[in-house]
Amino acid sequence: MFERDKLSVAVKAALSASAFGMAATSLPVLAEEAEEGVAMVEEMVVTGSRIKRAVDDEATPVTVIDAGDLQVSGYNSVADVLRNTTYNSFGSFRERSGSSFGQIALVDLRGLGADRSAVLINGRRVPGNPFTGQSAVDLNSIPLNAIERIEILTDSASAVYGADAIGGVINFIMRDDYTGAEIQVGMTRPEAKGADEEQVKALFGAAGDRGKIIASFEFFERKAIFDGDRDYSAVQINGDSFGDTVGVSVGGNTGFPGNFSTAYPIGDCDPSVYAGIFHTPFGIPGEGCGFGYADISAQTGSVERYSTFVDASYQLTDDINVYAENRYSRINSFGRYAPAVGFFAVNEPARIENGLTPVAGANGAPFLAFHRFVAHGPRDDNSKRDEFDIVVGLEGELADGRITFDAFARHYYYSATATGNTYIVQSILEDLVATGAYDVLDPLSPANADAVLASSATLTRDLDTKFNQVGVSFSGFAFDLPAGPVGWAVGGEWADEDYNDNYDAQREAGNIIGSAGNSAAGDRSRKAAYGELLVPIIEGLEIGGALRWDDYNDFGSAVTPSTHVRFNPSVANWLVLRASYNEGFKAPNLTDLYSKLSQSFNDVTDFPQCESQGVAPADCPTFQIENFTGGNPDLQAENSKAFNIGAVVTPPFLEGLSASVDYFEVDTTDRATSLRLGQLVRFAAEGNVPPGTEVVRGAPGPDGGLGRLVSITNVITNAAARDIRGLDVRAQYNQDFAIGTVNAQLEWSRFLTYDVQNSADDSVIDFITEAGYPDDRVSATVRLTRDAFTVNYGMNYIGEHGDGEIEDYDSYMSHDVTVEYRSPWNVDLIVGVQNFTDEKPVIDSISGYDDSIVGEIYDLAGRRYFARLQYNFF
């Protein structure tokens, strides 16, 4: 009889890993069946192959986090769980406030990019998120309580799963074999302000003679963290230069002539509104009126999520099942920026003709105002997202059980709306300033009230993705060799995707101050065929291979092969040696090709200019620079080659211990990427600007130093290469003692190199020596279970990074403690403390706070206490 996704308790236990993703590769698993006293080996599909296997120490490394680990972790979202794995090497995008990504959460395996980490649910790819316009998946949309286990393949796998699996694969296996009902309520309370969490979860499952159903519901809410509520991101004024501040922008009320030769405050820079007057704004001679934006802006946005998951199956015959899966999520999010800021033209002669007070410093000439629209109020962005994912299929056995098959059809639909308040229509504002209806010297003047209403804009954005897919796969064993049967798998897929991202007309026209964005749309269809083979050569030695053909209607076709070998010598059955080689590719994202340029203002420390002027790195100021991001129609596809070699040891002299070490390499060519602004500035100074990008500077200074930064065009570009080398070390120990059962895990990921070559003729730069690229990440847990109690300790370590001359980040270590009590009255209680030593994010000791690094790598919530109460009905 065929049973869908059959897993014994023994398999689940042996696959168990820590909640922080730090499991060692598990021991071989035997599922005991009470059938004439014979121990039967149970086969299962492990992420990275479509052939069922009897062991889980595969030729490719897979880490597993099961539902029990998720329960005691204390985390309330999938994103938080994966963010604390060592494979999230350099951090990943989180729910940042005010971003065009709308408070989604991503994962970035190996630092190769969130759209190079394939995300699966039950072995099927999840389509990309329209907010990013890429294949990256919003982890916040996946309900945590519906997950049976998370499998993380840390090897490339394009030959099995297609494009975008260059950095690895995350496969969420959802619950489908649960009988009973439970409800859980919980909350998390940080000591610092912000990031409060609430949750309600419910799970129900029932089974009959031929059918079963499981349904889950989950509500989760997390509050925003505001910049002003954290010491490192709040407004700080340590001198009279903009470079001596944190959370202060040049954009308070500052004027510049058309050639940007000097700067001057507009008006008296009222200290009750602005942060004060500072010299050399943007590095330009003169003074500017600053604004403390961090007094208003949110560091992370708030998220409210409602999720459901339903899995049902019915046994049509003894060998065939029909199944249906339905996943739905509704996510509401909020982000806040300070009032809009931007450049606009001031017709000073017209203002003077209208009898208005002249602007000191303008000398009666037209000028550019870098102005903060404080009277309009803060910019509040809200988004609402709905995600539907429906799968129906047939699976079972053919040819008397020698062949298994799975045929499915899928419809996926993602719809979102985003609105933004209190933005500025530039053309209207400039006319109002010229006539005096808007007083640029005193924006809070009551006389400005009508002008504020007339120039305000509410922005809109509508997004949707429609994705249809059908697929079929077969697997089995062809024939027997002396060392065992030859395994095989074949299959094919067809998919069609339609993507739309529609911005309002004013932003499309570039007529909005405080925001930018352009619509993008595209459709794509693809088809694929694949096959795998697993051949036992001699006892303990097997060789496997996979080959996949993908064909895109807008890109072309690609063939990706892979091969692997696994050796378990009979004279040393405690040792497994493994190696794999994979080729991969990534077709350009539609938005990377065709999206228009969008304007933004971000902080940049212009180290090349400071060096040309003899200014020490520690004294080099940081300014907000106008920059443009968008698509690049010159993009080509990426290609990759990956190699992994490792060993798994289960020493006979220490029962319960399993350890592994793997060396990995991933080499990519023609990689599409967006560089950090600071990196692009440095590359431009070295004469290595990638195709399609541009760094614009003003005229050189009188001393011959580099001119000021005017603007940066930082579009997606094909960097020539991104090559990584590293080691993964894992260890797991399980043993029963008089005090209870001890489970301990350790995982260490060490980067040896992270090489970036900007173009084919440029030198290779190892980013491991730069800020934002720590070479070490370590996670560990120790768990003690005795009777109804479980105590869990977890540690997360991030190594130092930066070169110590320009940027310098110290190491970081946080600690979590959880206690679980399973009462005899069907009530379970979990309490704990996350980050109980209240470790703060590491701040660059030279250049100061950088939200693009701190916000993606470190814990921002600080010490927080959580409690959950679960009632099990039956």
Side-chain angles (χ1 to χ4, degrees), residues 343-484:
F343 284 99
F344 62 89
V346 177
N347 188 340
E348 181 68 354
R351 291 181 70 257
I352 294 174
E353 286 182 6
N354 287 318
L356 302 176
T357 303
V359 174
N363 297 321
F367 66 93
L368 291 174
F370 196 45
H371 180 75
R372 184 74 60 168
F373 293 88
V374 291
H376 290 71
R379 289 166 288 174
D380 287 348
D381 292 342
N382 293 273
S383 68
K384 182 182 296 183
R385 318 196 284 275
D386 293 286
E387 183 176 20
F388 300 85
D389 193 4
I390 302 171
V391 178
V392 294
L394 286 173
E395 62 181 0
E397 297 177 347
L398 303 172
D400 296 326
R402 295 191 299 274
I403 298 174
T404 62
F405 76 93
D406 183 8
F408 70 91
R410 178 187 205 173
H411 176 67
Y412 174 92
Y413 179 64
Y414 190 107
S415 175
T417 60
T419 59
N421 297 319
T422 64
Y423 291 84
I424 317 301
V425 182
Q426 182 169 343
S427 59
I428 295 176
L429 187 281
E430 289 178 343
D431 290 341
L432 293 169
V433 171
T435 62
Y438 182 86
D439 185 358
V440 70
L441 279 73
D442 184 11
L444 290 175
S445 169
N448 277 351
D450 291 339
V452 167
L453 292 175
S455 59
S456 293
T458 296
L459 309 182
T460 62
R461 185 182 179 195
D462 297 307
L463 311 95
D464 66 76
T465 290
K466 301 180 182 71
F467 182 86
N468 295 299
Q469 181 184 22
V470 294
V472 61
S473 61
F474 300 89
S475 65
F477 294 94
F479 51 85
D480 289 340
L481 294 177

Side-chain angles (χ1 to χ4, degrees), residues 24 45 57 245 304 326 371 381 416 422 458 537 604 668 732 738 837:
V45 174
D57 50 348
T245 67
E304 179 185 78
N326 179 277
H371 180 75
D381 292 342
T422 64
T458 296
I537 305 301
V604 177
T668 64
Q732 178 172 343
T837 56

Side-chain angles (χ1 to χ4, degrees), residues 441-589:
L441 279 73
D442 184 11
L444 290 175
S445 169
N448 277 351
D450 291 339
V452 167
L453 292 175
S455 59
S456 293
T458 296
L459 309 182
T460 62
R461 185 182 179 195
D462 297 307
L463 311 95
D464 66 76
T465 290
K466 301 180 182 71
F467 182 86
N468 295 299
Q469 181 184 22
V470 294
V472 61
S473 61
F474 300 89
S475 65
F477 294 94
F479 51 85
D480 289 340
L481 294 177
V486 175
W488 60 271
V490 296
E493 299 174 1
W494 173 89
D496 178 81
E497 181 178 5
D498 187 3
Y499 160 75
N500 292 281
D501 184 359
N502 299 312
Y503 280 81
D504 54 86
Q506 293 285 11
R507 277 190 287 187
E508 282 278 287
N511 195 29
I512 292 294
I513 296 176
S515 181
N518 290 284
S519 300
D523 60 81
R524 170 177 282 173
S525 64
R526 63 172 176 85
K527 52 190 175 183
Y530 53 83
E532 288 186 64
L533 201 62
L534 184 65
V535 181
I537 305 301
I538 60 174
E539 183 180 357
L541 175 64
E542 63 183 30
I543 296 177
L547 188 68
R548 182 180 175 107
W549 170 77
D550 287 271
D551 183 70
Y552 288 74
N553 68 323
D554 61 344
F555 157 68
S557 61
V559 176
T560 47
S562 72
T563 185
H564 68 260
V565 59
R566 175 183 178 276
F567 182 46
N568 181 203
S570 58
V571 295
N573 58 11
W574 47 269
L575 173 66
V576 173
L577 302 175
R578 60 189 181 193
S580 63
Y581 171 80
N582 294 271
E583 293 187 7
F585 84 103
K586 176 175 173 52
N589 294 312

Side-chain angles (χ1 to χ4, degrees), residues 617-639:
D619 298 325
C620 193
T622 299
F623 305 110
Q624 286 190 329
I625 298 297
E626 182 181 32
N627 61 92
F628 300 89
T629 58
N632 184 354
D634 296 328
L635 279 179
Q636 302 296 317
E638 298 178 28
N639 294 282

